[in-house]
Amino acid sequence: MAVPASVNEVAASQPGDLLLVDIRKKPDEAQIPGSVRYDGEAIERAEQPPFDRDKQVVLYCGSGNSCSRIAQTLQERGYTNVRALEGGYAAWKDAGLPTEPISQRQSLE
């Protein structure tokens, strides 16, 4: 199992270093800045996820459970740079880190 990405690690990353993917089913009105929204289960089932195999990707859900499971599935399929945000969006908010208005959920098609 891959090492989860810590909130501090993600917060310290530079724009473009990693792709942040919000897979929350029932998000509030905000998201982690720079993240894109997708249906996590659709990513998990997709033959081709919406990112390259070599891209550094951090998935996040509300608490870290769903994103950990989906990251594990993708790693088993060869997407070794996919990780889960430890503690999910809740940990990000608890750390007092910035958010931005939520964006539209992207389609895999």
Side-chain angles (χ1 to χ4, degrees):
M1 180 144 158
V3 176
S6 73
V7 167
N8 291 334
E9 179 186 344
V10 172
S13 68
Q14 298 299 309
D17 282 356
L18 51 86
L19 174 65
L20 268 172
V21 181
D22 180 351
I23 63 165
R24 293 175 294 160
K25 286 185 178 167
K26 294 184 176 152
D28 60 15
E29 70 288 340
Q31 67 187 24
I32 296 174
S35 58
V36 293
R37 293 184 57 224
Y38 283 98
D39 177 326
E41 291 171 1
I43 289 176
E44 189 174 25
R45 287 190 312 264
E47 223 170 277
Q48 174 61 52
F51 40 80
D52 295 329
R53 282 188 192 273
D54 59 349
K55 182 73 178 164
Q56 295 288 330
V57 178
V58 175
L59 304 176
Y60 71 92
C61 58
S63 64
N65 293 329
S66 296
C67 61
S68 294
R69 179 184 48 96
I70 293 169
Q72 181 68 35
T73 299
L74 291 170
Q75 288 167 9
E76 289 167 1
R77 291 177 40 206
Y79 291 84
T80 55
N81 294 324
V82 176
R83 296 163 66 203
L85 180 61
E86 189 171 28
Y89 183 69
W92 184 269
K93 284 189 70 168
D94 288 349
L97 292 162
T99 59
E100 66 183 14
I102 194 118
S103 61
Q104 283 292 106
R105 189 146 100 179
Q106 305 292 310
S107 170
L108 291 182
E109 297 172 20

